[in-house]
Amino acid sequence: MSVKPTDVDVIDLLPQRLPFIMVDKLIHFDSVSAKTIFTVREDHLFCTNGFMEEAGFVENIAQTCAARTGYKQRMENDRSGIPDVVYSGISGRKDKYDKIKIGVIGMISVLEMKRRPLAGEVLETSIFIEEEVFLTTFIRSEVKIGDEIVATCRMKLFLTDKTAE
């Protein structure tokens, strides 16, 4: 039985933790793209006066990349024969093979925000891999609400050797 991205808790794919989570679910993954959804909440860190702040777009796009990387890492671990996640009960720490690596934004270019989302609106964020060179990934992205494109940008991201604890 194969695991689909929608079957995986997004928290298991991201190094970020609440209240900084900007992705609700990974809904698509393949070798060159990924797509997530996120509902803007009134009480979210990046929501002010009923609108998502501009910085929320950048973080949402970066976390879509992180969800893709986390899912890809998880699939590679599963194929390598490494056992499923092992939890140590009370501490909740994951086995060393399943820790998610931390990525950092190296560059943002051609960022265009057409409007700020309202609380309650659902963002559908797509990323498209333009190039992967060693631990550097170049992406372009598109954020939609329904059929309306509300933001686009390009990013360069670096994957570090550090993992989320």
Side-chain angles (χ1 to χ4, degrees), residues 97-117:
Y97 296 109
D98 205 47
K99 288 186 179 178
I100 300 301
K101 290 185 178 179
I102 296 172
V104 295
I105 299 170
M107 177 188 70
I108 299 169
S109 67
V110 196
L111 175 61
E112 182 179 354
M113 296 175 279
K114 298 183 181 195
R115 76 169 176 90
R116 292 170 55 197

Side-chain angles (χ1 to χ4, degrees), residues 109-161:
S109 67
V110 196
L111 175 61
E112 182 179 354
M113 296 175 279
K114 298 183 181 195
R115 76 169 176 90
R116 292 170 55 197
L118 293 163
E121 290 186 306
V122 178
L123 306 181
E124 186 175 282
T125 304
S126 299
I127 59 143
F128 308 94
I129 307 302
E130 293 187 324
E131 189 172 3
E132 287 184 293
V133 181
F134 301 109
L135 299 176
T136 304
T137 303
F138 297 85
I139 64 106
R140 68 180 169 82
S141 65
E142 179 178 270
V143 182
K144 290 183 172 183
I145 297 172
D147 292 331
E148 177 189 9
I149 297 173
V150 293
T152 60
C153 87
R154 285 186 150 70
M155 284 186 185
K156 177 172 35 173
L157 301 124
F158 299 101
L159 194 60
T160 70
D161 287 334

